[in-house]
Amino acid sequence: QVQLQESGPGLVKPSDTLSLNCTVSGKSITASAHYWSWIRQAPGKEREWIGAVSYTGLVYWSPALKSRTTISRDTNKNQYTLQLRLATPEDTAVYYCAGGRGTAVEKMDYWGQGTQVTVSS
């Protein structure tokens, strides 16, 4: 059974860096043809794909967030991380880590439960 678990601060101050970690169990993040994504959903909005790291370590970003986003992985810990710089209140959302054989939100096979992140002073 594949499980994903997000962790990180639930409250971030404006202009700080939002940092989240995803721990994956039940499948290696180096498993062939798998991509490990970060997705968020703000109140009243559709889910938004932020970016992903592939099984080979290649990183992909949403063009809208690329300039503020870093995604990395630790294969020894089977974890991957998200850093979103210069956070604003518009970044307030439930953040999910998810994985599958692609990066399309509708094709994710595995999902974390999500973690609420609020950007506020």
Side-chain angles (χ1 to χ4, degrees), residues 18-32:
L18 184 160
S19 296
L20 294 173
N21 191 62
C22 181
T23 300
V24 181
S25 60
K27 183 172 286 290
S28 171
I29 61 173
T30 63
S32 181

Side-chain angles (χ1 to χ4, degrees), residues 40-49:
R40 69 182 183 180
Q41 187 166 22
K45 296 187 178 180
E46 294 185 353
R47 287 180 175 176
E48 177 185 21
W49 180 79

Side-chain angles (χ1 to χ4, degrees), residues 2 6 17 19 40 46 51 65 79 104 106 112:
V2 181
E6 305 90 351
T17 296
S19 296
R40 69 182 183 180
E46 294 185 353
L65 296 169
Q79 296 174 342
E106 62 272 16

Side-chain angles (χ1 to χ4, degrees), residues 14-18 68 84-88 91:
S15 80
D16 283 357
T17 296
L18 184 160
R68 297 196 290 132
L84 184 63
R85 295 176 291 277
L86 299 174
T88 73
D91 294 317

Side-chain angles (χ1 to χ4, degrees), residues 48-62:
E48 177 185 21
W49 180 79
I50 299 169
V53 58
S54 79
Y55 60 107
T56 62
L58 289 175
V59 180
Y60 306 85
W61 300 271
S62 162

Side-chain angles (χ1 to χ4, degrees), residues 3-19:
Q3 294 184 322
L4 285 73
Q5 180 65 58
E6 305 90 351
S7 59
L11 180 63
V12 177
K13 293 182 178 179
S15 80
D16 283 357
T17 296
L18 184 160
S19 296

